[in-house]
Each structure stands twice: as structure tokens, then as C-alpha cells.
Amino acid sequence: MPAPVQRPGGRTARNRAQVLDAVRAELVEHGYDALTVHTVADRAGVHRTTVYRRWRDVGGLLADVLDAGTGDAWQPPDTGTLYGDLAALNHEIQAALTERPSVTAALIAASFRSEQAANALRQFWEDRYARCEVTVERAEERGDVPPHTAARAVLVAATGPLYHQLVLLRAAPDPLLPDRAARAAASAAADGVFTPGP
């Protein structure tokens, strides 16, 4: 569930796109500690006063990068099976976390240093999980999982191993992990693990 790049029209929107591109580039190239309003403004070719007026500080810049991801048209894959949907989603996540440089990984790391970025990241995850719940809803409609299966719990079970492996442990990517984690979550969902208890 990577953060995409938005490029809406209009001069103000173009300035915003240039600034947000600059934030991403500075973050992945130099890290959070080197990220400043001045370096972003200079890289974007925008006057520093403009950046201060609109974003105020680094936290505001990071928050807007993440906010931009909640207004895009991204939708989860629809492969016809819950396992297929979860596996395709996991492959997207692994690609976003292992690309070099990884904007997604850099934003996650920055969220531990900026409260504004942390709040924006939580909102971004809420948006992405809400969009992905349709994968479980479709499985329920097909009869692949029991009624009242908790979609969010299934999604966390499927995607969690990737974040644990790649973000927390910083381990080398396992090409089998996206499919294996998806299969485990889909199988558990089919067995009723994610339905309300008695």
C-alpha cells in the first residue's frame, strides 16, 4: 500500500507536486535529519516563504506527502480469490518496501521522528485498510469465508509479516513471503479464525 505521487493541474497544484516530490527525494537521499524547509524549497525551485506559509515546517511537509496518498484512485487487486487478492497486495507492499530508494520505508521511519507525520501515517493506513476491506467482503459474498469475517484482522494477518520482516527486522526480502503470508491468512479466514467467538 505504497504512497503514490499525485500531480493535479493548476499552478498551485504544480507547486505542491514539485514540493512533495522534493520532500520524497530529500528524504530518501539524505534522511530525516537533513530534511529542512530550505533544502526542500531549493530543490523544488519554490520560494522558501511559499513553503513556510503553506507547510510551516518539516512535519507539515511530511504530513502532506502522506495526505496526498489518501486522495488517489488506487484500489486493491481483484483476482477472483481471497488468496489471490492478498498475495497480489503483498507483492505490491514488498515492492514498495524494497525498491531503492524506498519512499514508503523512508516515510515510515520519519513517522517515528515527527508527530505530524505519525498522525498522517495513521490516517493513510486507515484509508488503505478501508479500501482493502472489499477483498474480504468479496470473499464473503462468494462463500469463501464465513459471514461476519473481520476484514481488518484478515488484512493485518496477511500483510503484517512483510512489515515485520522488512521494516522491523530489516531483513532481506523473501520472494516466497508474500504468497506464504497471504495463503496463511486466507486459510485461517476460511476456517473461521477471524469471526466473532461464541
Side-chain angles (χ1 to χ4, degrees):
M1 290 179 271
V5 177
Q6 280 195 328
R7 302 185 192 283
R11 181 178 176 184
T12 300
R14 282 196 303 273
N15 281 347
R16 182 188 183 215
Q18 289 174 299
V19 168
L20 298 189
D21 282 348
V23 173
R24 296 182 190 98
E26 287 291 321
L27 188 61
V28 297
E29 290 177 19
H30 306 294
Y32 177 84
D33 288 328
L35 187 67
T36 69
V37 168
H38 290 187
T39 58
V40 168
D42 291 347
R43 185 166 194 145
V46 175
H47 200 281
R48 294 175 181 180
T49 304
T50 301
V51 179
Y52 276 115
R53 185 169 56 245
R54 177 161 183 172
W55 289 278
R56 298 183 60 185
D57 55 23
V58 167
L61 288 165
L62 290 169
D64 199 24
V65 168
L66 288 159
D67 287 343
T70 62
D72 69 338
W74 181 89
Q75 291 298 321
D78 184 359
T79 67
T81 68
L82 178 59
Y83 161 67
D85 290 352
L86 295 176
L89 180 61
N90 277 355
H91 281 286
E92 284 189 34
I93 292 170
Q94 180 149 292
L97 291 173
T98 57
E99 67 180 352
R100 293 292 178 264
S102 174
V103 175
T104 303
L107 286 168
I108 292 172
S111 73
F112 287 95
R113 306 286 300 280
S114 164
E115 187 61 32
Q116 275 183 282
N119 290 335
L121 186 61
R122 278 191 289 270
Q123 293 174 11
F124 175 80
W125 292 137
E126 284 295 324
D127 173 75
R128 282 302 193 253
Y129 277 120
R131 296 191 205 192
C132 289
E133 286 176 1
V134 69
T135 61
V136 180
E137 293 165 2
R138 291 192 297 244
E140 192 171 320
E141 291 171 0
R142 291 190 301 263
D144 297 340
V145 299
H148 310 298
T149 294
R152 179 69 58 92
V154 174
L155 293 165
V156 170
T159 62
L162 277 78
Y163 290 104
H164 180 83
Q165 185 82 359
L166 298 171
V167 177
L168 297 182
L169 298 182
R170 296 191 178 190
D174 177 353
L176 302 179
L177 181 58
D179 293 335
R180 188 168 58 242
R183 186 176 294 108
S187 178
D191 288 342
V193 170
F194 302 106
T195 56

